[in-house]
């Protein structure tokens, strides 16, 4: 009897997931149009236009390189080719993946909160604004990754591991989407969430070895009985950044354990985020 009930619950859950997936797929054109509109509006009435998508990350890399490499003299590890030691490239790899995570989380809140007027005119699944915002951010990330790969080709630091980058990016998208669904929904009900998330993202940025290496963190420094290095190492974004640097800078693949860990994190985030969104999004239209 218990086994039968478990089987029925499993079938019901799969039916709900398939139904929701098919509904989202049927509105893919709307998601693409919303993503395109966001991209066009981003640099509207700008003289340089899309050049800002290159200038902004270049300026960020330049500032961080000046502060942490020139002034504070943080030494990057030797690259996979055995000779390159370039802090700017070491930083660039991390910033590409971090920037996608940050912009997706922040963009999801604005996208869902601003979808009210459109939602009153035409029906669409409430997940669509979040998906379209993440798709727009993915376009920017694709441009940055393309530039990064070209630079790595020029400096002679490239390997077959670049072929695994799409897999890592897919895991990051799944992980980010789960969080984006929750914070986007929470921001609709409580607008303080937007300010809180901004503070948390700043904290997580410095808790992730982006502008520094994990090795410079004192191994004997403890917080509540846990070493600071361990706390940083268990940060999910630190895991994604480390894997990205392995693939694109160190020219080696993360271990199967590390891939499995990232897969579990991404799957858990996506599933829990989706379940939470379905549970509490019923009245979101009224709040919009």
């Amino acid at each position: 009897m218990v086994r039968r009930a478990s089987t029925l619950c499993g079938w019901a859950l799969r039916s709900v997931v398939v139904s929701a997936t098919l509904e989202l797929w049927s509105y893919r054109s709307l998601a693409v149009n919303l993503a395109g509109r966001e991209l066009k509006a981003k640099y509207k009435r700008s003289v340089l236009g899309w050049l800002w998508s290159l200038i902004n990350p270049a300026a960020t890399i330049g500032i961080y390189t000046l502060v942490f490499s020139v002034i504070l003299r943080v030494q990057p590890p030797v690259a996979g080719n055995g000779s390159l030691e370039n802090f700017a490239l070491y930083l660039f790899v991390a910033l590409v993946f971090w920037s996608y995570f940050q912009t997706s989380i922040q963009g999801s809140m604005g996208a869902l909160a601003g979808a009210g007027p459109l939602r009153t005119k035409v029906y669409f699944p409430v997940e669509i604004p979040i998906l379209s915002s993440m798709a727009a951010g993915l376009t920017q990330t694709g441009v940055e990754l393309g530039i990064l790969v070209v630079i790595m080709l020029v400096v002679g630091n490239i390997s077959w591991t670049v072929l695994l980058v799409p897999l890592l990016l897919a895991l990051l998208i799944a992980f980010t989407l789960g969080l984006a669904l929750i914070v986007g929904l929470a921001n609709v009900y409580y607008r303080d969430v937007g300010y809180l998330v901004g503070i948390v993202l700043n904290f997580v940025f410095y808790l992730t070895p982006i502008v520094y290496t994990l090795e410079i963190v004192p191994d004997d420094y403890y917080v509540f009985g846990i070493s600071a290095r361990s706390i940083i190492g268990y940060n999910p974004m630190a895991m994604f950044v480390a894997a990205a640097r392995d693939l694109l800078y160190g020219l080696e693949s993360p271990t199967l354990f590390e891939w499995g860990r990232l897969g579990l994190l991404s799957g858990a985030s996506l599933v829990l985020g989706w379940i939470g969104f379905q549970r509490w999004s019923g009245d979101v239209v009224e709040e919009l």
Side-chain angles (χ1 to χ4, degrees), residues 70-81:
V70 178
I71 300 176
L72 298 181
R73 299 185 180 279
V74 176
Q75 281 295 114
V78 179
N81 63 5

Side-chain angles (χ1 to χ4, degrees), residues 43-219:
Y43 300 112
K44 188 177 181 180
R45 296 181 182 176
S46 169
V47 175
L48 296 180
W50 273 87
L51 282 177
W52 283 112
S53 65
L54 306 179
I55 296 173
N56 283 328
T60 302
I61 292 169
I63 293 170
Y64 283 137
T65 299
L66 174 63
V67 174
F68 291 95
S69 179
V70 178
I71 300 176
L72 298 181
R73 299 185 180 279
V74 176
Q75 281 295 114
V78 179
N81 63 5
S83 59
L84 180 68
E85 290 185 56
N86 190 294
F87 184 83
L89 288 181
Y90 185 75
L91 177 64
F92 192 8
V93 173
L95 282 178
V96 168
F97 286 81
W98 168 260
S99 295
Y100 179 71
F101 172 75
Q102 182 182 42
T103 56
S104 294
I105 295 297
Q106 293 178 325
S108 67
M109 294 185 291
L112 186 56
L118 180 61
R119 190 62 162 68
T120 58
K121 297 177 182 179
V122 59
Y123 168 81
F124 55 82
V126 287
E127 299 95 331
I128 289 295
I130 293 177
L131 292 172
S132 64
S133 178
M134 290 186 62
L138 187 60
T139 303
Q140 172 72 31
T141 300
V143 172
E144 294 174 357
L145 273 175
I147 294 172
L148 178 59
V149 170
V150 170
I151 293 174
M152 290 298 187
L153 280 169
V154 171
V155 299
N157 190 60
I158 198 77
S159 177
W160 64 271
T161 54
V162 71
L163 300 176
L164 296 176
V165 171
L167 172 60
L168 180 63
L169 187 57
L171 292 176
L172 178 61
I173 291 171
F175 174 76
T176 305
L177 177 57
L179 295 178
L181 288 170
I182 295 301
V183 299
L185 184 62
N187 184 62
V188 171
Y189 291 109
Y190 307 101
R191 295 305 168 95
D192 297 304
V193 171
Y195 300 104
L196 179 61
V197 168
I199 295 172
V200 171
L201 285 174
N202 283 331
F203 179 73
V204 175
F205 175 82
Y206 286 103
L207 198 63
T208 304
I210 295 175
V211 295
Y212 60 90
T213 62
L214 186 59
E215 288 69 28
I216 71 172
V217 179
D219 197 28

Side-chain angles (χ1 to χ4, degrees), residues 18-29:
V18 170
S19 176
T21 302
L22 290 176
E23 183 182 27
L24 288 174
W25 179 252
S26 67
Y27 285 89
R28 62 189 183 279
S29 297

